[in-house]
């Protein structure tokens, strides 16, 4: 049993090797799509920090790093639709080729909020890259240009994703079995 999880050990949904391979593919895809340009890569905190640091090292382009803190859930498992900005981006985004890196798109409400906020700063282009997506739970029409894995409606943890602050350090994406 891992020291990170103490009593509950999540079940593996996406193993570490699969994440690694897919992250590498996505990084290459972004490299090809943006060839010859410089990108501004926004890490949406907190959940995306592990995905972000891994994919950045697979993107062979000049990259400017920005960090945006948002909180939409509190400790609940259902999106409130209310997004709180906990850390804003200070540098101007006008004229930049911006890519937003998300850990997961669930209802899409958080992402829709972030897209509106970034668009108002007039970047030259704006795309979204998310490691995970739950198509059945989408409640709003938002475009995600790069998707790592489409998953079901289950609540997942690990590889940056948390359940009430726990499990972020797991190397895989897992879920907690009912009954815990
Ligand atoms: P949305 O607004 O419903 O799309 O939720 C987006 C945010 O909720 C994500 O950026 C995550 O921080 C969190 N979230 C949604 N689903 C999960 C999950 O299955 N596990 C952990 N966090 C999640
Ligand atoms: Mg997030």
């Amino acid at each position: 049993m891992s020291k990170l999880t103490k009593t509950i050990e999540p079940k593996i949904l996406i193993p570490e090797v699969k994440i690694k391979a897919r992250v590498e593919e996505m990084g290459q895809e972004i490299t090809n799509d943006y060839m010859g340009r410089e990108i501004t890569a926004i890490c949406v905190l907190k959940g995306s920090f592990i995905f972000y640091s891994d994919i950045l090292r697979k993107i062979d382009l000049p990259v400017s790093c920005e960090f945006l803190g948002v909180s939409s859930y509190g400790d609940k498992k259902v999106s409130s639709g209310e997004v709180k900005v906990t850390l804003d981006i200070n540098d101007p985004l006008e004229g930049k080729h911006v890519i937003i890196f998300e850990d997961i798109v669930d209802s899409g409400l958080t992402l829709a909020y972030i897209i509106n906020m970034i668009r108002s700063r007039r970047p030259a282009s704006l795309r979204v890259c998310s490691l995970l997506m739950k198509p059945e739970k989408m409640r709003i029409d938002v475009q995600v240009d790069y998707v790592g894995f489409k998953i079901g409606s289950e609540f997942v943890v690990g590889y940056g994703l948390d359940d009430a602050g726990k499990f972020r350090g797991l190397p895989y994406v897992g879920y907690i079995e009912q009954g815990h």
Side-chain angles (χ1 to χ4, degrees):
M1 187 166 291
S2 157
K3 64 183 184 314
L4 283 168
T5 56
K6 296 209 169 65
T7 48
I8 303 168
E9 185 98 15
K11 297 274 175 249
I12 297 177
L13 181 68
I14 311 171
E16 195 176 351
V17 284
K18 276 205 177 170
I19 298 174
K20 198 164 184 272
R22 186 69 188 116
V23 167
E24 185 156 1
E25 266 177 17
M26 293 169 90
Q28 279 164 6
E29 207 183 327
I30 290 171
T31 303
N32 293 336
D33 290 354
Y34 286 84
M35 199 64 81
R37 282 180 285 176
E38 181 172 338
I39 62 166
T40 297
I42 298 178
C43 174
V44 183
L45 297 171
K46 297 176 186 167
S48 306
F49 76 109
I50 292 179
F51 171 51
Y52 183 79
S53 64
D54 280 349
I55 196 164
L56 267 205
R57 284 172 286 178
K58 302 295 174 195
I59 297 175
D60 190 11
L61 297 167
V63 181
S64 178
C65 296
E66 296 292 348
F67 298 87
L68 176 68
V70 297
S71 164
S72 59
Y73 264 49
D75 282 348
K76 293 188 221 86
K77 290 193 171 90
V78 180
S79 188
S80 60
E82 215 179 291
V83 180
K84 192 168 78 185
V85 175
T86 55
L87 176 72
D88 203 350
I89 297 165
N90 285 320
D91 286 359
L93 298 173
E94 185 165 358
K96 306 276 171 104
H97 295 290
V98 173
I99 306 178
I100 297 167
F101 289 88
E102 260 288 20
D103 50 356
I104 188 162
V105 180
D106 182 305
S107 69
L109 294 170
T110 305
L111 182 59
Y113 181 95
I114 295 171
I115 288 174
N116 277 337
M117 176 180 161
I118 302 299
R119 260 205 199 118
S120 72
R121 300 182 190 184
R122 308 181 356 142
S125 68
L126 179 60
R127 283 191 181 172
V128 177
C129 174
S130 184
L131 177 72
L132 302 170
M133 190 167 174
K134 297 180 181 174
E136 291 155 29
K137 292 196 68 189
M138 289 284 279
R139 283 168 53 194
I140 191 166
D141 189 23
V142 277
Q143 185 174 329
V144 184
D145 305 280
Y146 305 96
V147 180
F149 303 92
K150 289 183 178 161
I151 63 171
S153 300
E154 64 271 41
F155 193 84
V156 291
V157 294
Y159 197 69
L161 292 142
D162 72 310
D163 180 8
K166 290 181 296 187
F167 306 115
R168 290 196 198 274
L170 292 176
Y172 58 88
V173 172
Y175 60 95
I176 294 150
E177 274 186 316
Q178 292 302 309
H180 280 292

